[in-house]
Amino acid sequence: MTDKHPHGVSHAVFMENLNETNELAHNEIPENGKEARIVRNIIDSKAMLDFNPALNTSSYVQVQFEEEEFEVMNHGQRINLADQTIYPHAFKIHDESVNMIANMWHCPEDDDVKKYGVHAGAGTVGSTEACLLAGLALKFRWRSWYAKKHGLTHDQVLAVKPNLVISTCYQAAWEKLFRYFDIEPRLAPTSVRNFAIDPATLHEYVDEKTIGVVGIMGNHWAGQFDKIHEINDVIDKLNHEKGYQVGIHVDAASGGFIAPFIKDCPTWDFRLPNVLSISASGHKYGEACAGTGWVVWRHRKDLSEHVAVDVSYLGGHADSYTLNFSRPATGVFSQYYKLLRFGKAGYQAACDNALANSKALRQALMAMTYKGKPRFELLDSDQNPALPVVAMRLNPELKLHYNDIDLQNALSMSHWYVSGYKMSTCHPTLGYEIPLFTDEDAECTMFRVVIKAHITTPLVKDLIGAFEEALDFLDQHDNQYDSKKLRHRKHRTITNHC
Ligand SMILES: *Cc1c(COP(=O)(O)O)cnc(C)c1O
C-alpha cells in the first residue's frame, strides 16, 4: 500500500490541502507556499463554478484554440512587446499583422507606409484601447484645426470642450473615452426597427466642435451595421458647406472580420474617403485570444502621429501607439497564428458558417407559436448584412407575465447563457438610464444570441431544444404563480456589455 497520491503528493497532504480549497477566499498571502497541483486545483475549482465559456452566447469573445496556438500563446507570454529593441523579430509579427488587417480594410498606401514598412496602426488590448487611441487622435487633430481657425493659443484651446457623435447603441468603450478624456457625447437617436444611426439627422449633431462621427459596424445589442457609406456622404456635404474637417471612425469591434466576408455588404472601410480610422477586436471574429484588438489609421500625418511615441532601436525608428507600456505578445501571436492558419478562405468559411447557423436559429425561433400567435418578435436585421447574431423579444401581444430576462434565467437550466436586457443604457456622463430607442419604452426587454465559430449545427439544435424547455417551464409558472412574484424576482440584468 502506498500513501502517495498519483501526482506524487502524500495522500494526507493532498486531503488536507483539498479541504483548504474549501476556504472561501484567500485575502492574506498564506504563510507557506503550497504544492503546484494544489494551487491549480484551488483555482480550477473556483473557475468551474462559472458558466461554461463555450455555451456563453452572450459574449462575442472567442474561446476555442488549437494545441499549437496554445503553445504559441504561451511563448508570447514571455515576450514583452514594449521591448521592441530586444525583440524586433517578435515585433515584426505585430507589424505584419497590422499590414494584413490594414490591407483587408483597403487602407491606402502612402509614402509614410513605404518609409516605415508598416501602416499606421497598432495591436491593442481589445477594441477598447483601440477606440481610446482612435478617439484621442481625432481629438488632437481637431484641436490643432480649431486653434488655427479661431487664432487660439494652445492653452486657450484646452478650455474648449469638443464632442463626438455616436448612436445610442454605442458600446461601453466609448463611455470611457467621454469620461476619461473630457469629450461631450452627442448621442444620435436610434429606432428599435434598425438600431442604427440615421444619417439624415447627422447635421443636427455635428458642429465645429465635433472631433468625429463614429459609425458602428455591428452594434453589440443586435448586430446591425450603421450605414457608413451614407454617413460618409453626409459628412462630405457638411464639411463642404460649413468648412468643417470632420472624419469618421469605424468601430468594427465585431464586424471588422465579418463585413469583409459578406458579399453584398455596402462599402464601409477605407475606400470611403472620410473614414480616418477603423478598430476591431481580434478576440471577437478575428478568432484570436482575449485581450487582442487592432486600430488602423488612414495616414500618419496630422492623425496617428498625435498619439505616436517615437521608438528608436538599433538601426531604425518606429511609432509606438499604446495607452500602456509592458504587455505580453500573447494576443499578437495568437492573431498572427489565426491569420496564417485560416487564410481568407478560412475566415470566409467561418463567417458563412456562423451566418448559416444564426439563420437556422432565427428561423426555428420565429416558427415557434403560442396560442396561435408567434412566440417572438424579430429585432435583428434578418437577412441583411449584419453580424451572426439573433436578437428578439417575447411577442408583446402575448401579454406574458415573464420577460426576456426571466427567459435568460430559465435557459440557464440547460447550461446555455443567453443574455436578456432592458432597452436602456446608462448615459455616459450624466450617469442615469436613458432609453435606447426613440420609439420603444426603456423598460422593455429583449435577448440576444451571438453565434461564434464553435457553435456548430448540433449545438444550435440543442439550444433550440433549450428554448423549448425554458418556455415550457415559464408557461407553467406564468399560469400557476402570482405574476408579480416572477416580475420582481431578482435577476441579473446586464446592460451595455460586450
Ligand atoms: C465589444 C465591443 C467593443 C469593446 O471591445 P473589447 O474588445 O471588449 O474592448 C467596442 N465596440 C463594440 C461595438 C463592441 O462590440
Side-chain angles (χ1 to χ4, degrees), residues 59 70 94 269 271 369 393:
S59 163
F70 270 124
H94 166 275
D269 60 18
R271 285 171 289 183
T369 55
R393 63 169 154 179

Side-chain angles (χ1 to χ4, degrees), residues 126-128 171 173 216 218 220 251 253-254 281 283-284 498:
S127 275
T128 302
Q171 205 268 355
I216 307 171
H220 65 294
D251 175 357
S254 300
S281 301
H283 55 218
K284 293 184 178 175
C498 61

